[in-house]
Amino acid sequence: MRKDMARVLWGGCLLIALNVALLAVSGASLFGKLSRGRVMSSLDVGSVINTPFLIDFFWFVFSFSLLNLLVAFVLYVVWRCCSLSKFRGDSRVFYLLLLFFFLLIYLWNMVLFPWSALAGGAEKGSVFLWGLVSGTCAWLLVIGGGVGSGFRGSKLIVGVLGLGLLVGLWDSSSKEIVVTSARPNIIIIGFDSLRPEMPSERYMPNLNGYLQQSVRFSDAVTPLPRTFPSWMSLLTGVNPVKHGARFNLMPYSLINHDFKSLPKRLKEEGYQTLYAMDEKRFANIDQRYGFDHLVGPKIGVGDFLFGFLSDLPVLNMVRQFPLSEPFFPYVYSNRALSASYMGEDFVGEVEDGIADLDAGLPAFMVVHFCEPHWPYAYVSGKERQTGWLSKFNGQGNFQNYMKSLPRADEQFGKVITALRDAGRLENALVFFVSDHGEGFARDAVTFSSAVGGRPFELSAYGHGTNVVQRFQFQVLMAYQVYRNGKLVSIPSSQERDRVSLLDIYPTVLEYLGIELPKTLDGYSLIGREKIPERNFFVETDFNVSAVLNGQIDADEAFAQGASAYRVESNGYVSLRPDKIGQIMRQKEYSVLSGDKVLAFGDYGKELAPFRLFDYSAMTWRPIEGEDGDPSIREMQLALCRQFASDPLMLEQHVCRSARVADAR
């Protein structure tokens, strides 16, 4: 027995050593960039140790070691019970079989997860696949060649099959739910980076079917096209300059909590609240913002570190099973680990979260799908066989973006079915939104000069990097109303008006008959013939040079930006307060008025700080000082007042004169 235990232990250590070697090889470039940059020198090791991260790290190491020991134990039992008698006594055969098993898992990882850092990023051909299948069969033949030699082997096979059946049936039971609450449920379903024109019968048939029966706004915008600021604007009904989330991962202590979030307000009305998102590393939204139930991966610095450590063949396989969730909470259902993310794990968690809600209480639910977000990685998909994506070949990121949409739509279809089966659509107000859009190389446009100067080439990638490109700040926004299980048609005259995610907060309160706070920047979209004229403001987030081109280098972006962040006492990652003033000076701002966009930023001494873009005429012109056109001057003043406390605005002479005028 002692000899058996020693063999299993050494087998587990061998597997661990092989995985560590893979990490060293795959992470060499990242470690090099970090060591050359300021990341290591800026890292306060003492503060990190005094956070829950240390416990998370040791738990990850323990779980990973236990997993490898379990694999070694199972293979050892199979080898001892099933292999040919001449192989059973030689431990070298066992270790060779472990090595062959590791190689097979590595190769299967290349086939199943082509986006893995260890897979080379390319789909493998049929010759490779058939070779892998043949190798697997050969390995099974060697290790199981003696399975028929006795009762012991037969009994083992029965045991293994029984264990497999239990794993397959794990957590597969469904609960029968009868919702008894008479108050309407409020449901917001979001899609990360989804451009409003993308949902269609071809790309997203499930979502498109619901949008066809919705009040859908053709010109909806977000005030800051990044996930956390956008959702904070939606959940508070005020612009980022008021609620304080001026960047992703803004410290909780710098958020203005005078503006009560929608989940907190609805909890006062007896609602239960649920928040579900499958990538949380840039949005630390938790119970502090009013949510009772959180669904999705764990929040914290472990999401960043374990995201790198978890791209290993054995973990990519194991993470697909619900049994892995308590052992790898930063890995399970985490879209950020996109190389092996299939989405079923997150959908299952959302379904369980819906089922666990109290049937006697109304619910406020937020479900956000991050599949369309960069790097637009996908594991597999039917679209490979359909051929309709061929017209996007050669367009890189945009092609991968398009491939991600059917996967997000499939997730949406299952979640909306779960909501219907749970009775949550019997009486409900449902919003379909995106937090921001996405810019690609194909979106580049040229504005001719309105004053006879040089043309302006506008080409901006991603989101939150530019305040002029519409594809970044325009969002999907639509809603439906259900009563007694039936869809209610609500006529709306605002479908062509420009609206904002800020309008969802007052719309929900008015629909529920709750008095609206006077501090809101948004307007209710229900019960109005005309929305009052207003300015729409847009601002950028924190950007490093590695994300400002079409080919994002994730490792380089991390190395460039990591020194601006810290680990808080609760283990969360947030911006360092001492860096925010410096980062704030990099912001760009704009105000939207019809087809005109007035942008402002620090473009250098040689360039004018204000730029006016006219989308109807496709012209632009620089503005040095106070503009002579009264309407444009009003846009300048609006920008100055909106961002009056920001460093660039404080230094701008046009804004200084505006403050003097306002003081009079």
Side-chain angles (χ1 to χ4, degrees):
M1 176 64 72
R2 185 174 298 177
K3 184 181 295 185
D4 293 332
M5 292 180 62
R7 286 174 175 170
V8 171
L9 181 60
W10 281 111
C13 291
L14 175 62
L15 292 176
I16 293 172
L18 291 170
N19 280 291
V20 171
L22 282 181
L23 280 177
V25 172
S26 64
S29 62
L30 175 59
F31 286 133
K33 291 172 182 176
L34 294 181
S35 61
R36 291 193 300 270
R38 295 175 294 171
V39 178
M40 297 303 183
S41 60
S42 65
L43 185 63
D44 186 351
V45 178
S47 65
V48 174
I49 291 177
N50 292 324
T51 70
F53 169 71
L54 199 59
I55 297 175
D56 290 335
F57 177 77
F58 283 120
W59 180 251
F60 180 86
V61 172
F62 166 77
S63 299
F64 186 67
S65 301
L66 182 63
L67 173 62
N68 282 277
L69 286 171
L70 180 61
V71 171
F73 171 75
V74 172
L75 293 179
Y76 183 77
V77 172
V78 173
W79 170 67
R80 290 288 291 170
C81 296
C82 299
S83 63
L84 295 171
S85 58
K86 61 181 179 180
F87 293 146
R88 291 177 190 163
D90 192 343
S91 59
R92 293 175 301 178
V93 176
F94 169 61
Y95 296 130
L96 285 174
L97 290 173
L98 278 180
L99 288 172
F100 197 14
F101 169 80
F102 185 83
L103 177 62
L104 287 173
I105 292 295
Y106 176 80
L107 295 176
W108 274 113
N109 182 76
M110 296 177 70
V111 172
L112 297 175
F113 312 116
W115 287 84
S116 171
L118 302 169
E123 298 177 24
K124 306 303 178 286
S126 58
V127 175
F128 182 93
L129 181 58
W130 279 112
L132 180 54
V133 171
S134 300
T136 304
C137 292
W139 181 82
L140 292 174
L141 184 63
V142 171
I143 200 172
V147 72
S149 60
F151 176 72
R152 178 172 54 179
S154 301
K155 185 164 63 175
L156 176 67
I157 294 298
V158 173
V160 171
L161 290 175
L163 179 61
L165 181 62
L166 288 175
V167 172
L169 294 177
W170 179 267
D171 203 29
S172 63
S173 60
S174 60
K175 301 177 182 179
E176 184 175 349
I177 307 163
V178 179
V179 175
T180 58
S181 171
R183 302 201 66 183
N185 298 293
I186 307 298
I187 302 167
I188 304 176
I189 300 179
F191 296 85
D192 210 295
S193 307
L194 181 62
R195 288 162 54 148
E197 77 273 18
M198 289 304 173
S200 67
E201 185 62 31
R202 172 173 284 184
Y203 306 149
M204 307 183 77
N206 291 312
L207 177 60
N208 183 66
Y210 278 87
L211 292 177
Q212 294 298 320
Q213 304 176 71
S214 302
V215 176
R216 183 177 181 180
F217 299 94
S218 60
D219 188 6
V221 299
T222 177
L224 205 165
R226 286 282 169 88
T227 299
F228 182 55
S230 188
W231 273 104
M232 285 298 297
S233 300
L234 185 156
L235 294 174
T236 59
V238 298
N239 279 294
V241 291
K242 289 185 179 180
H243 60 62
R246 305 294 299 279
F247 303 98
N248 270 343
L249 296 178
M250 198 72 171
Y252 181 79
S253 59
L254 297 182
I255 301 297
N256 187 349
H257 302 289
D258 291 339
F259 300 98
K260 189 173 295 183
S261 70
L262 189 55
K264 286 184 178 180
R265 183 65 186 88
L266 294 185
K267 284 178 69 173
E268 295 176 353
E269 301 294 324
Y271 277 73
Q272 56 192 323
T273 56
L274 180 146
Y275 170 76
M277 183 182 288
D278 54 351
E279 182 175 349
K280 298 179 180 178
R281 59 174 52 178
F282 295 112
N284 295 335
I285 299 177
D286 58 12
Q287 290 93 340
R288 297 174 298 179
Y289 293 92
F291 289 101
D292 302 317
H293 307 277
L294 300 179
V295 175
K298 189 175 180 179
I299 302 175
V301 66
D303 188 2
F304 294 86
L305 177 66
F306 303 139
F308 163 69
L309 296 178
S310 300
D311 188 10
L312 290 168
V314 65
L315 274 179
N316 287 339
M317 304 288 184
V318 169
R319 69 168 292 189
Q320 311 303 330
F321 300 97
L323 281 170
S324 67
E325 192 275 333
F327 296 99
F328 303 102
Y330 288 104
V331 177
Y332 186 72
S333 76
N334 192 348
R335 208 289 320 195
L337 313 184
S338 55
S340 57
Y341 178 73
M342 290 187 172
E344 291 297 325
D345 45 6
F346 177 64
V347 170
E349 282 199 305
V350 174
E351 291 171 343
D352 291 341
I354 295 171
D356 290 340
L357 293 174
D358 189 336
L361 295 176
F364 172 70
M365 290 176 273
V366 170
V367 181
H368 189 66
F369 302 104
C370 295
E371 190 71 63
H373 190 280
W374 185 89
Y376 329 115
Y378 68 105
V379 174
S380 62
K382 297 177 181 178
E383 69 276 3
R384 293 183 188 172
Q385 286 76 42
T386 61
W388 60 263
L389 283 169
S390 59
K391 64 180 179 180
F392 300 125
N393 285 336
Q395 298 192 29
N397 280 335
F398 185 71
Q399 179 186 12
N400 294 328
Y401 174 76
M402 297 303 296
K403 289 180 180 180
S404 72
L405 300 184
R407 293 178 52 77
D409 186 64
E410 184 179 348
Q411 290 179 301
F412 165 77
K414 293 178 180 179
V415 169
I416 202 76
T417 297
L419 288 168
R420 187 178 298 279
D421 292 344
R424 292 294 173 183
L425 296 185
E426 289 293 309
N427 186 12
L429 173 62
V430 185
F431 286 92
F432 308 107
V433 303
S434 57
D435 54 351
H436 49 75
E438 192 81 339
F440 298 96
R442 68 194 300 273
D443 301 320
V445 295
T446 301
F447 291 86
S448 60
S449 174
V451 291
R454 59 181 175 81
F456 190 97
E457 302 287 340
L458 177 62
S459 180
Y461 303 93
H463 49 270
T465 64
N466 187 277
V467 294
V468 178
Q469 190 194 59
R470 291 176 168 181
F471 292 114
Q472 292 200 17
F473 57 75
Q474 285 185 324
V475 298
L476 170 70
M477 187 165 155
Y479 72 87
Q480 291 182 337
V481 175
Y482 291 89
R483 295 193 184 115
N484 299 318
K486 296 182 179 180
L487 184 64
V488 178
S489 176
I490 299 181
S492 173
S493 60
Q494 294 101 42
E495 292 183 69
R496 298 186 183 278
D497 291 343
R498 178 172 288 157
V499 297
S500 170
L501 293 180
L502 301 170
D503 300 329
I504 290 179
Y505 188 109
T507 300
V508 170
L509 293 192
E510 184 157 317
Y511 181 76
L512 296 176
I514 301 173
E515 183 179 358
L516 273 61
K518 293 182 172 54
T519 55
L520 296 180
D521 290 327
Y523 290 92
S524 172
L525 303 175
I526 295 177
R528 289 181 180 270
E529 292 186 3
K530 182 70 177 176
I531 298 176
E533 293 291 330
R534 52 178 164 162
N535 291 311
F536 293 84
F537 300 98
V538 181
E539 57 183 296
T540 57
D541 202 281
F542 173 39
N543 295 293
V544 295
S545 60
V547 304
L548 296 178
N549 60 73
Q551 300 300 322
I552 297 175
D553 185 334
D555 293 348
E556 184 62 32
F558 180 73
Q560 290 178 8
S563 60
Y565 297 90
R566 64 174 183 173
V567 180
E568 298 180 347
S569 59
N570 60 359
Y572 286 15
V573 175
S574 67
L575 277 172
R576 291 173 51 178
D578 60 311
K579 295 284 188 179
I580 292 177
Q582 175 186 344
I583 297 172
M584 194 74 75
R585 302 187 65 86
Q586 302 173 13
K587 271 188 176 289
E588 294 181 21
Y589 313 91
S590 70
V591 58
L592 315 179
S593 178
D595 288 323
K596 293 183 174 63
V597 179
L598 180 65
F600 172 85
D602 183 2
Y603 304 115
K605 295 181 179 180
E606 303 300 321
L607 300 174
F610 288 96
R611 299 173 177 181
L612 179 67
F613 296 84
D614 188 337
Y615 270 95
S616 61
M618 290 305 294
T619 59
W620 84 287
R621 63 180 174 89
I623 301 176
E624 292 288 350
E626 297 183 9
D627 196 74
D629 185 328
S631 63
I632 306 305
R633 175 58 180 157
E634 281 301 314
M635 294 175 71
Q636 283 183 298
L637 294 177
L639 273 178
C640 291
R641 295 182 180 114
Q642 179 71 8
F643 303 103
S645 60
D646 285 13
L648 291 180
M649 291 297 183
L650 290 172
E651 299 167 3
Q652 176 55 228
H653 71 276
V654 173
C655 294
R656 286 199 298 268
S657 63
R659 288 195 296 274
V660 172
D662 289 343
R664 293 173 181 170

